[in-house]
Amino acid sequence: QVQLVESGGGLVQAGGSLRLSCAASGRTFSRDAMGWFRRAPGKEREFVAAVTWSGGSTSYADPVKGRFTVSRDNTKNTVYLQMNSLKPEDTAVYYCATDPLIARLRLGRAEYWGQGTQVTVSS
């Protein structure tokens, strides 16, 4: 059974940092792109960031460019999201996802989804 389990969410003040992790199990994802999405209260789910299977290419949504960094460790079947200079508008439930194609992740599509972890940024 495939599972994606996020961790690392919490409450942080504006300007602070958090590091999210997503551990995948059930099969190896070393040939799949992995990424992060978020859903803020009252809003649609949106793409945040993604990384190709090799880690050699990344993609970011404009609101997080220069502040967030996505990375992965294929030996641990884990993807990370380092979030710096957090803003109140980053408050959302963050989901990790995986798909064979990073292009599909950019379009909001994924083969597997995690359950999400809450990130709250106070002003």
Side-chain angles (χ1 to χ4, degrees), residues 73-88:
D73 184 341
N74 286 340
T75 65
K76 298 180 179 179
N77 244 11
T78 299
V79 63
Y80 305 97
L81 185 67
Q82 177 67 44
M83 305 186 294
N84 298 329
S85 301
L86 282 161
K87 304 175 181 179

Side-chain angles (χ1 to χ4, degrees), residues 5-6 33 51 81 93-94 105 116:
V5 179
E6 301 94 338
V51 58
L81 185 67
V93 177
Y94 283 72
L105 290 177

Side-chain angles (χ1 to χ4, degrees), residues 92-111:
V93 177
Y94 283 72
Y95 302 87
C96 75
T98 182
D99 194 272
L101 299 175
I102 193 171
R104 282 175 46 88
L105 290 177
R106 293 194 198 103
L107 294 174
R109 300 167 185 167
E111 184 175 13

